[in-house]
Amino acid sequence: MDISKGDVLLMKKKHPCGASRMIVLRSGMDFKLKCEGCGHEMMIARSKIEKNIKSVIKPAET
């Protein structure tokens, strides 16, 4: 799965704040994500994230 910095991930499960969109701040063996709703930042393993992604929204190419 090709996910890079700046992509927005639409998750299957919602964050406790109610938002289901996460912004990718860092990718690698684990991802650093930021919740669009409350701004909470978290580090999560790639294997755990990849099975919980519904879709990837790429930023507009300029």
Side-chain angles (χ1 to χ4, degrees):
M1 190 171 277
D2 185 34
I3 300 169
S4 58
K5 182 180 175 183
D7 291 349
V8 177
L9 305 178
L10 186 62
M11 308 303 283
K12 291 179 183 175
K13 294 183 179 179
K14 292 185 177 184
H15 189 250
C17 73
S20 60
R21 292 168 50 116
M22 303 283 175
I23 302 168
V24 178
L25 300 177
R26 191 191 126 209
S27 62
M29 283 302 291
D30 15 301
F31 285 98
K32 185 170 188 178
L33 303 175
K34 182 177 182 181
C35 175
E36 277 195 346
C38 62
H40 182 91
E41 293 183 8
M42 60 206 95
M43 294 282 289
I44 304 175
R46 177 179 281 270
S47 60
K48 196 167 188 176
I49 285 295
E50 285 187 341
K51 64 182 176 183
N52 290 321
I53 295 174
K54 188 183 282 188
S55 66
V56 179
I57 302 166
K58 298 282 185 185
E61 300 280 331
T62 55

